[in-house]
């Protein structure tokens, strides 16, 4: 793990970066993998996991070029901020901390290592075209416009023993991310697929009498639908966990309707339904 890295949690608190369950699942699934696809539920910390991985490589290894591409400018700025936070909070004295330079609004380099991190927005192409890329992360790739325009040439620039990761919540059919997932499922692909469902997040549950529960779910849920029973069996919940997870799920579905199956991945059968 990346124990010398510190991050902000979802509530803005500074914490040591220790893998959560979703990140641990991801790390174990991608052991000795160089091309990875991740279908994820929202807010599992997956982008943070890869960002920390790129940051560690850039400050501990020589001659590393890491490129992170997001789908929108707001997220790009958030990722830049996260890298800065990781750097600022390194638990080293200033004279021991790796020197970091800012050559542009989207580039952070570490001259003593001759390593660099580029962070940009899909379509902006803020990184150079000629140099090899040793680490590439595409985040929310299903939402990129014309993703092939970036991914096809980029894959040729990442050495076979380099790292290339594409992660996203689903976004219907007919996009590049969907097509790559289908290729991986066919078994005839360079990509290794990992799926990360919403119940890997411990906070995605509601207790009995929760003020956030639907009116009819304040007490213990005694009647599950066949779909809910199948889900509880698939996830391996005991009765207590199933009660809290289903209560949360019902509340979330009531809130965002059919978008639930896109934003909170449960299965490959349901996640690509168009919203």
């Amino acid at each position: 793990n990346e124990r010398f890295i510190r991050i902000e949690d979802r509530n803005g608190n500074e914490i040591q970066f220790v893998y959560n369950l979703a990140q641990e699942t991801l790390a174990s699934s991608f052991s000795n993998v160089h091309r990875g696809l991740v279908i994820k539920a929202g807010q599992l910390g997956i982008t943070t996991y890869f960002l920390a991985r790129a940051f560690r490589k850039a400050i501990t290894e020589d001659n590393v070029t890491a490129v992170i591409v997001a789908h929108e400018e707001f997220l790009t700025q958030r990722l830049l901020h996260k890298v800065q936070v990781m750097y600022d909070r390194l638990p080293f004295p200033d004279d021991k901390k790796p020197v970091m330079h800012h050559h542009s609004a989207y580039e952070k380099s570490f001259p003593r290592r001759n390593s660099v991190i580029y962070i940009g927005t899909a379509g902006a192409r803020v990184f150079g075209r000629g140099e090899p890329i040793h680490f590439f992360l595409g985040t929310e790739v299903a939402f990129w416009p014309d993703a092939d325009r970036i991914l096809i040439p980029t894959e040729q620039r990442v050495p076979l023993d380099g790292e290339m990761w594409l992660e996203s919540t689903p976004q219907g059919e007919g996009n590049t991310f969907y097509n790559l997932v289908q290729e991986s499922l066919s078994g005839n692909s360079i990509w290794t697929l990992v799926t990360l469902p919403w119940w890997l997040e411990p906070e995605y549950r509601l207790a009995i009498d929760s003020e956030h529960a639907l009116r009819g779910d304040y007490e213990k849920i005694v009647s599950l639908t066949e779909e809910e029973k199948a889900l509880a069996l698939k996830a391996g919940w005991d009765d207590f966990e199933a009660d809290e997870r289903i209560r949360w799920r019902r509340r979330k579905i009531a809130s965002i309707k059919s978008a639930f199956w896109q934003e909170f991945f449960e299965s490959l059968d349901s996640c690509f339904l168009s919203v």
Side-chain angles (χ1 to χ4, degrees), residues 74-147:
F74 175 78
L75 182 54
T76 299
Q77 294 301 319
R78 286 292 301 155
L79 296 180
L80 284 163
H81 173 71
K82 284 187 176 184
V83 170
Q84 188 65 50
V85 169
M86 291 177 186
Y87 177 79
D88 291 342
R89 294 177 178 173
L90 285 173
F92 309 136
D94 287 343
D95 60 339
K96 300 295 184 182
K97 187 178 291 188
V99 176
M100 183 171 71
H101 289 171
H102 310 269
H103 295 293
S104 75
Y106 299 95
E107 176 184 344
K108 297 180 183 293
S109 68
F110 303 89
R112 293 177 183 171
R113 288 288 186 184
N114 191 36
S115 294
V116 62
I117 299 177
Y118 298 97
I119 302 179
T121 306
R125 297 306 300 253
V126 299
F127 52 94
R129 291 187 59 84
E131 75 273 21
I133 297 173
H134 308 100
F135 181 100
F136 180 89
L137 169 65
T139 181
E140 295 296 355
V141 175
F143 296 85
W144 288 11
D146 195 13

Side-chain angles (χ1 to χ4, degrees), residues 9-70:
D9 66 13
R10 69 182 61 191
N11 298 313
N13 302 310
E14 180 183 334
I15 60 172
Q16 186 182 53
F17 180 46
V18 178
Y19 291 163
N20 61 26
L21 180 57
Q23 293 162 345
E24 187 67 50
T25 301
L26 185 60
S28 60
S29 300
F30 278 159
S31 177
N32 297 319
V33 170
H34 297 283
R35 300 292 189 274
L37 287 174
V38 182
I39 301 180
K40 63 176 186 177
Q43 299 295 305
L44 295 182
I46 303 310
T47 304
T48 298
Y49 164 85
F50 283 119
L51 201 64
R53 190 179 180 102
F55 179 67
R56 177 189 59 79
K57 288 180 71 69
I59 66 174
T60 62
E61 299 179 22
D62 294 334
N63 307 312
V64 169
T65 297
V67 174
I68 295 110
V69 179

Side-chain angles (χ1 to χ4, degrees), residues 139-197:
T139 181
E140 295 296 355
V141 175
F143 296 85
W144 288 11
D146 195 13
D148 283 339
R149 187 174 63 86
I150 294 178
L151 296 181
I152 290 175
T154 296
E155 204 281 324
Q156 305 310 306
R157 294 171 56 196
V158 179
L160 293 180
D161 58 352
E163 301 183 40
M164 188 169 181
W165 314 107
L166 308 179
E167 52 97 333
S168 190
T169 48
Q171 222 282 83
E173 301 179 1
N175 57 69
T176 297
F177 187 75
Y178 172 82
N179 293 336
L180 291 174
V181 169
Q182 301 311 306
E183 289 177 14
S184 181
L185 292 172
S186 74
N188 187 28
S189 172
I190 64 172
W191 299 95
T192 298
L193 177 65
V194 171
T195 58
L196 301 172

Side-chain angles (χ1 to χ4, degrees), residues 197-199 225-237 245-246 249 260-261 265-267:
W198 61 263
W199 54 84
T225 67
E226 291 303 314
E227 178 195 36
E228 291 169 341
K229 291 177 183 177
L231 181 61
L233 182 63
K234 173 183 177 180
W237 300 327
R245 296 288 193 180
I246 295 299
R249 182 178 185 266
F260 175 85
W261 285 271
F265 172 79
E266 289 188 342
S267 75

